Amino acid sequence: MEVAFPIIDLSTINGEERGATMDMIKDACENWGFFELMNHGISHELMDTVEKLTNEHYKKCMKERFKEMVTSKGLKVVQSEITGMDWESTFFLRHLPESNLYEILDLEDDYRKVMKQFAVELEKLPEKLLKILCENLGLEQGYLKKVFYGSKGPTFGTKVSNYPLCLKPNLIKGLRAHTDAGGIILLFQDDKVISNIKYKSVMHRVLAQTDRTRMSIASCYNRESDVVLYPAPALVDKEAEKPIVYPKFMFEDYMKVYPSLKFENNEPRIEAMKTMESIVSLGPIATV
């Protein structure tokens, strides 16, 4: 039986259908861990240009490097499943707190200009979503924004990925199954600790194709590194019969263990943070 994929129309959030839309977002966050957004405020023209220039950049600057890597690692002739790497070609853009757009030398001026505009438009979306999530979680308005901003403001960056044509997608994944470390991930393609696991961080992967190159642009809106994370006291109070799932920890420490545990379920990361909490005094909770 097919299950309907959660699709949210943000144009209905302030009209007569607000209640139904809020319920759909609540269900998507609690039971899916993701949803597709329509009428999100970013123009189709801008997104089309981003896609076009990203594909052109890959062909001009990254395609040959990827082929050289494939050859050097003997990936064309593999006969068994590869589990220690991904079939992807990537680069990273940092937007906040400081941009690195002009540090990536092989970006053409038109592409750099468009990605800067894209980041400006994208940055507006997480703040809209934080307000909605606050209301759905029953938290005072502004609580989640305060968590993300801390004393220095949020971090925001984009991973630009291409998944080249792959003749053996059954043996190597475009991107292995994983959950994300970020707070809000905005994904453009052809763990939420504060909710005390009420909102899910879903395992997902990318499959390479045998007939074409896929593109994915994932923008991550995160807390600043020295923010201390902990389930919102209001949620713990409301659901006292449920144990507190997550320990208190610094986002910076979480990001230190994340790379080695990225392709596992959440539980090992939670246990690692509990161990760290037991040996480190973290001081006051910055999120309250």
Side-chain angles (χ1 to χ4, degrees):
M1 181 180 69
E2 293 187 0
V3 180
F5 186 89
I7 300 175
I8 308 298
D9 184 351
L10 270 188
S11 68
T12 63
I13 200 67
N14 292 316
E16 295 180 357
E17 299 176 49
R18 176 180 175 79
T21 303
M22 293 293 286
D23 287 343
M24 289 175 64
I25 295 173
K26 181 175 184 291
D27 177 72
C29 290
E30 293 182 357
N31 298 311
W32 289 79
F34 63 92
F35 50 86
E36 180 179 348
L37 278 178
M38 295 174 56
N39 297 313
H40 40 63
I42 302 173
S43 73
H44 289 291
E45 291 79 10
L46 177 57
M47 295 176 69
D48 288 344
T49 304
V50 167
E51 181 176 6
K52 174 178 177 290
L53 295 182
T54 296
N55 289 330
E56 289 179 359
H57 175 75
Y58 169 73
K59 292 175 183 176
K60 182 177 180 179
C61 301
M62 304 180 73
K63 186 175 182 178
E64 287 305 314
R65 291 203 296 265
F66 184 81
K67 286 183 177 180
E68 290 171 4
M69 182 277 293
V70 168
T71 300
S72 68
K73 294 183 179 295
L75 297 179
K76 287 185 177 180
V77 295
V78 295
Q79 299 300 320
S80 58
E81 185 175 5
I82 303 295
T83 59
M85 66 175 295
D86 304 302
W87 188 267
E88 65 173 353
S89 174
T90 67
F91 67 94
F92 296 87
L93 298 175
R94 185 176 65 250
H95 313 306
L96 295 175
E98 295 181 354
S99 173
N100 71 341
L101 262 174
Y102 292 92
E103 298 172 17
I104 304 176
L105 300 181
D106 63 2
L107 297 183
E108 294 192 353
D109 289 342
D110 286 350
Y111 189 32
R112 187 178 283 114
K113 181 179 179 180
V114 164
M115 292 307 285
K116 183 176 181 179
Q117 181 186 358
F118 186 53
V120 169
E121 295 301 317
L122 272 180
E123 189 183 339
K124 301 172 185 176
L125 192 51
E127 297 205 0
K128 291 181 185 178
L129 294 174
L130 288 178
K131 292 179 181 179
I132 292 170
L133 299 183
C134 257
E135 183 175 340
N136 258 343
L137 285 167
L139 299 172
E140 63 178 296
Q141 203 48 255
Y143 181 92
L144 291 177
K145 182 175 180 178
K146 183 178 179 182
V147 171
F148 274 75
Y149 270 65
S151 60
K152 301 176 184 176
T155 63
F156 187 38
T158 295
K159 176 187 176 185
V160 182
S161 304
N162 279 277
Y163 302 93
L165 180 152
C166 180
L167 297 179
K168 299 181 179 180
N170 57 316
L171 298 182
I172 183 168
K173 300 294 185 294
L175 180 58
R176 288 161 286 168
H178 64 285
T179 58
D180 295 317
I184 293 179
I185 312 297
L186 304 172
L187 182 62
F188 171 28
Q189 64 170 20
D190 58 336
D191 303 301
K192 294 178 178 61
V193 175
I194 302 157
S195 69
N196 196 31
I197 218 165
K198 190 175 181 67
Y199 282 1
K200 297 189 181 302
S201 179
V202 67
M203 289 286 285
H204 55 286
R205 64 182 181 175
V206 178
L207 298 179
Q209 303 294 304
T210 59
D211 58 349
R212 65 184 179 93
T213 295
R214 296 184 63 183
M215 182 205 76
S216 168
I217 299 177
S219 298
C220 308
Y221 189 85
N222 292 329
R223 312 92 174 154
E224 63 163 309
S225 61
D226 63 354
V227 162
V228 178
L229 296 175
Y230 191 74
L235 294 182
V236 175
D237 292 342
K238 287 180 180 179
E239 303 180 10
E241 73 278 5
K242 293 184 178 180
I244 297 177
V245 177
Y246 289 98
K248 178 172 63 174
F249 60 87
M250 290 182 67
F251 186 58
E252 181 178 34
D253 291 332
Y254 180 78
M255 291 307 297
K256 291 176 182 177
V257 305
Y258 175 74
S260 63
L261 299 173
K262 176 178 178 178
F263 299 106
E264 299 185 32
N265 290 318
N266 287 331
E267 288 75 10
R269 297 179 221 162
I270 297 173
E271 292 306 312
M273 290 298 97
K274 287 179 179 177
T275 300
M276 193 170 292
E277 180 188 40
S278 68
I279 61 175
V280 178
S281 175
L282 293 175
I285 302 172
T287 60
V288 176

